[in-house]
Amino acid sequence: MSTSGTTEPVNLFDADLARDPFEGFSRLREQAPMVRGSFPGLGSPVWLVTRYDDVKTVLGDRRFVNNPASVPGADVGNIREALIEARGIPPEYAVYLLDSILDSDGDDHLRLRRLVSRAFTARRVAELRPRVEEIAEDLLDRLPGHAVDGAADLIEHFAYPLPITVICELVGIPEEDRPRWREWGKGLVSLEPGAMAEPLRHMVTYIHELIARRRAEPAGDLLTGLIRVHDEDGDRLTDTELVTMVLTLVLAGHETTAHLIGNGTAALLTHPDQLAALRADPGLLPPAVHELMRWCGPVQVTRFRYAAEDVEIGGMTVRRGEPVMAVLVSANYDPRRFEDPDRLDIAREPDGHKEVHVGFGHGLHYCLGAALARQEGEVALGALLRRYPRLELAVAPEDLDRQFFPVSWRLAHLPVRLGTPNQAG
């Protein structure tokens, strides 16, 4: 059986691929179930798994692990470690990016997940909804004041502040400190050499200081609960894991949601039939958020997985220890699973509780905060369209400023004209 894909590995930093990953990865999907991909400066290629059923297999099959140390009997290099080193991050700080809940497997992953999963249950998320709605309405009240020459940046003043406020309140980061996290977060996605090191150092230092403050002054937040677990039983949560958990929750807890709101708003404003349908029936918000996550979700490709043994995928073989990335965007556009996948259809899945796409992943590492992200998307889009019924783009769609970041789809800015607002309520 075949063990090779395209002749030349696909450069995942290729500008054309970043400009249109939907068409680019879909073309690769039709070439073969798996193709080789590469990162500049990284010697070994990785497998890119592109088809819907195969992507679900990789994400749900425990023969694929996130930590290369989990591959038995093999000395497997950590590709993320090499990439992080290439970005100029010192080893003493790299550990906070390499040893997170996202990089753990088996019992370690379950141990860490159980420590925070109660904060993201359906019941807890439902309890948070009134507060999410309150934050959204407040941001929308202030949106006209941010307009320059009649245009307001929806990313800067709505899509980002909403989820970062929610996750910071949940974790326990004081309001006055949140703007710093926004700036640090920007640095972490910069492609400039060495740009990640400084914001990461600030984040880690800040978390250590906040832990000391919470020990002295406990509160009813998630951080206080994690500190209690750490202090009572260090085997359940180590010092490094405590810091890394806070870092992961805050970053993962707002980045994806912010760009879901931004991408989703841009998609609706460029598809007037879908926008009209949603305005006419707000009950379509749950399936609309699912469809937007499928059609223009911000996360295009997963983290690296490693085959713990030889595994057959689509008639091709991944050898033990070989790295694999599941391509979510090509899976979500796979005509084998989605009829007319290029078409945006907010009523594609009428049951708003049914999740067919893989925008939030699948399997053991399925996004912990997916329910909260969906709720924030529903609240944000619903409130925005209700409050500003004449909302429109302030630039032509082709002039929208996309933030170049490989394997991600995100807007740097989303300038909109608000029109006459409706009152809150």
Side-chain angles (χ1 to χ4, degrees):
M1 87 188 37
S2 172
T3 58
S4 62
T6 54
T7 305
E8 290 295 323
V10 177
N11 180 2
L12 290 167
F13 276 36
D14 180 73
D16 289 336
L17 187 61
R19 252 188 304 275
D20 190 357
F22 307 95
E23 193 279 331
F25 280 116
S26 290
R27 186 175 64 252
L28 295 173
R29 182 192 61 234
E30 299 311 313
Q31 291 179 9
M34 296 194 302
V35 297
R36 291 289 196 179
S38 67
F39 291 88
L42 191 67
S44 303
V46 302
W47 283 115
L48 302 177
V49 180
T50 58
R51 297 178 181 174
Y52 180 86
D53 287 343
D54 297 332
V55 163
K56 292 196 76 171
T57 294
V58 168
L59 298 182
D61 192 324
R62 296 201 181 193
R63 290 177 296 174
F64 290 97
V65 296
N66 284 29
N67 188 339
S70 301
V71 178
D75 183 15
V76 180
N78 190 323
I79 295 178
R80 286 192 67 239
E81 185 174 355
L83 289 172
I84 287 171
E85 183 179 347
R87 300 283 289 277
I89 296 178
E92 64 267 28
Y93 291 104
V95 65
Y96 297 105
L97 297 179
L98 292 168
D99 292 339
S100 75
I101 185 174
L102 306 176
D103 302 284
S104 58
D105 297 304
D107 290 343
D108 270 346
H109 179 77
L110 292 173
R111 170 179 59 86
L112 293 170
R113 196 175 182 99
R114 288 184 184 122
L115 293 176
V116 293
S117 59
R118 288 184 182 178
F120 299 98
T121 62
R123 178 178 178 179
R124 177 63 180 130
V125 168
E127 292 171 349
L128 289 172
R129 190 176 189 107
R131 178 56 183 151
V132 176
E133 292 172 342
E134 182 182 6
I135 295 167
E137 295 292 349
D138 177 61
L139 291 169
L140 292 173
D141 283 343
R142 291 186 272 145
L143 200 53
H146 296 295
V148 177
D149 295 329
D153 183 354
L154 208 66
I155 298 292
E156 183 72 22
H157 302 297
F158 183 62
Y160 251 104
L162 174 62
I164 200 168
T165 300
V166 173
I167 194 63
C168 283
E169 287 188 358
L170 189 63
V171 172
I173 292 177
E175 183 175 0
E176 62 271 19
D177 296 337
R178 294 167 197 167
R180 288 194 278 171
W181 277 85
R182 173 74 201 279
E183 292 306 310
W184 294 335
K186 289 179 182 177
L188 280 189
V189 298
S190 171
L191 293 178
E192 293 297 320
M196 289 179 66
E198 190 70 7
L200 180 60
R201 182 178 66 80
H202 285 305
M203 287 177 175
V204 171
T205 300
Y206 174 87
I207 295 170
H208 279 291
E209 292 172 351
L210 184 60
I211 289 170
R213 284 157 56 188
R214 278 290 176 273
R215 276 203 175 96
E217 300 175 8
D221 51 42
L222 187 55
L223 176 56
T224 299
L226 290 173
I227 292 169
R228 187 179 303 116
V229 169
H230 170 275
D231 292 352
E232 290 176 355
D233 185 356
D235 290 337
R236 290 179 63 199
L237 190 66
T238 67
D239 288 340
T240 300
E241 287 172 341
L242 174 56
V243 174
T244 301
M245 182 69 82
V246 175
L247 180 66
T248 303
L249 288 173
V250 176
L251 292 178
H254 79 275
E255 277 283 338
T256 298
T257 309
H259 292 295
L260 168 62
I261 294 169
N263 292 352
T265 301
L268 290 170
L269 293 179
T270 53
H271 291 78
D273 59 329
Q274 299 301 297
L275 178 61
L278 190 55
R279 287 193 190 280
D281 182 7
L284 286 172
L285 276 166
V289 168
H290 276 303
E291 174 68 351
L292 291 167
M293 195 66 184
R294 181 197 73 84
W295 196 81
C296 57
V299 181
Q300 308 267 288
V301 177
T302 66
R303 301 163 82 86
F304 298 103
R305 263 75 169 175
Y306 301 85
E309 59 184 76
D310 290 359
V311 183
E312 181 180 327
I313 297 291
M316 303 171 70
T317 302
V318 182
R319 298 297 181 191
R320 184 182 63 169
E322 286 188 325
V324 170
M325 298 180 83
V327 185
L328 304 182
V329 61
S330 60
N332 281 332
Y333 274 66
D334 191 342
R336 298 164 185 79
R337 179 59 186 84
F338 300 99
E339 183 179 351
D340 194 7
D342 292 338
R343 177 173 54 90
L344 178 65
D345 179 4
I346 63 170
R348 183 180 294 272
E349 299 290 344
D351 183 356
H353 301 290
K354 183 179 180 182
E355 186 168 312
V356 180
H357 64 83
V358 289
F360 288 114
H362 176 69
L364 185 65
H365 282 270
Y366 177 77
C367 176
L368 182 66
L372 180 58
R374 289 194 301 269
Q375 177 175 276
E376 289 172 337
E378 293 170 21
V379 169
L381 293 172
L384 177 65
L385 299 182
R386 173 176 49 79
R387 292 288 301 277
Y388 295 100
R390 283 163 286 282
L391 185 75
E392 62 181 9
L393 290 178
V395 298
E398 59 270 20
D399 292 331
L400 287 173
D401 184 11
R402 294 249 165 234
Q403 183 178 4
F404 178 76
F405 191 72
V407 303
S408 181
W409 184 248
R410 53 176 67 200
L411 289 164
H413 304 282
L414 180 54
V416 295
R417 298 194 186 280
L418 302 173
T420 306
N422 286 333
Q423 295 301 308

